[in-house]
Amino acid sequence: SIIGVADTTGSDAPGDGVVSLASARYCGTVSEKHVSETHRELLQSATTSIELERILERQLRDLGVDPNPPSAGSLLGRLLQQ
C-alpha cells in the first residue's frame, strides 16, 4: 500500500486530507509506504513512483521475470512507453 499522510490542518486523524490512515490500511498487505502528500498530490509524487516501481519489480521477480533486462531502462519507464 502507498498511503498519503500529509499534514492537513483541521483534521483529527492522520491521512491525506480525504482518506484517513485507518481507512487506507488494508489487512494482509505485504508492505505499507507512507508518503507525505495530500490525496491530490499522491499520484504525482516521485516517492510514490519509486515505491510503485519497487512493488512492480518485486512482483516480476516473484514470477521469475527479470525486471531489468539489459538496456531496457527502468521498469516504470518501459510501462509508460506501452
Side-chain angles (χ1 to χ4, degrees), residues 3-55:
I3 302 172
V5 288
D7 181 19
T8 53
T9 306
S11 177
D12 293 338
D16 64 9
V18 175
V19 180
S20 71
L21 178 58
S23 292
R25 287 195 157 137
Y26 179 73
C27 184
T29 194
V30 174
S31 67
E32 183 175 291
K33 176 77 171 183
H34 295 185
V35 180
S36 297
E37 301 290 349
T38 66
H39 189 79
R40 179 173 285 214
E41 298 165 339
L42 187 61
L43 292 177
Q44 298 170 351
S45 165
T47 304
T48 299
S49 296
I50 291 166
E51 181 65 8
L52 180 58
E53 185 168 357
R54 186 195 69 78
I55 291 167

Side-chain angles (χ1 to χ4, degrees), residues 51-66:
E51 181 65 8
L52 180 58
E53 185 168 357
R54 186 195 69 78
I55 291 167
L56 293 171
E57 285 180 353
R58 179 177 176 168
Q59 289 179 342
L60 286 173
R61 281 192 189 95
D62 288 350
L63 293 171
V65 176
D66 181 4

